[in-house]
Amino acid sequence: MPLSNNTVRRRLDEMSDDIETQLVEKLKSRKFSLQMDESTLRGNEVILLTYARYIDKGEFAEEMTFCKSLESTTTIPDIYDKLINYLDINNIPIENITSCAADGAPVMMGKRAA
């Protein structure tokens, strides 16, 4: 049975939303740690990637939490704003974050002017 591009796209979007909903529900109810890193793509587009690590059914689990564009700089205030916005939109308590790690690049930590 042939499927149109719109049908395939819609199904992929629905699966993606379902996976994110399941992860958000887990992060609302348990402690987790975050790993964050920024990366530059072609055309100087900068993105922020975050991964959550938590315990699920007695096993360690790691999931990509979100990937967002950083419009201006990659300083800690910009990254913090993206993180807080995601937590607020999804009603994830910031108190559930037990630790947060980044690559420690000086510009990310605000030690040098970009």
Side-chain angles (χ1 to χ4, degrees):
M1 167 173 29
L3 298 174
S4 71
N5 285 342
N6 290 341
T7 301
V8 173
R9 170 93 184 194
R10 188 186 79 249
R11 289 183 181 174
L12 288 173
D13 288 343
E14 288 171 356
M15 286 189 292
S16 174
D17 290 343
D18 183 53
I19 290 168
E20 183 178 21
T21 299
Q22 290 179 42
L23 176 61
V24 165
E25 288 306 312
K26 289 177 183 178
L27 298 181
K28 285 180 182 180
S29 63
R30 65 188 71 189
K31 302 289 185 184
F32 62 95
S33 63
L34 281 179
Q35 172 70 40
M36 300 187 302
D37 194 16
E38 84 287 346
S39 184
T40 304
L41 305 175
R42 291 184 188 174
N44 290 329
E45 180 184 2
V46 181
I47 58 170
L48 173 66
L49 297 162
T50 63
Y51 293 86
R53 293 184 179 118
Y54 56 93
I55 297 176
D56 187 30
K57 299 176 185 170
E59 300 286 327
F60 286 105
E62 179 178 84
E63 300 284 341
M64 186 172 87
T65 315
F66 66 85
C67 176
K68 301 284 183 187
S69 290
L70 292 169
E71 291 80 21
S72 55
T73 62
T74 59
T75 60
I76 201 66
D78 298 322
I79 292 167
Y80 179 79
D81 289 344
K82 291 289 183 184
L83 173 62
I84 293 303
N85 185 45
Y86 184 83
L87 296 175
D88 286 346
I89 287 171
N90 292 291
N91 297 315
I92 300 170
I94 195 168
E95 296 80 20
N96 286 2
I97 300 174
T98 58
S99 64
C100 188
D103 66 1
V107 72
M108 214 177 142
M109 304 310 291
K111 294 180 181 175
R112 297 195 181 146

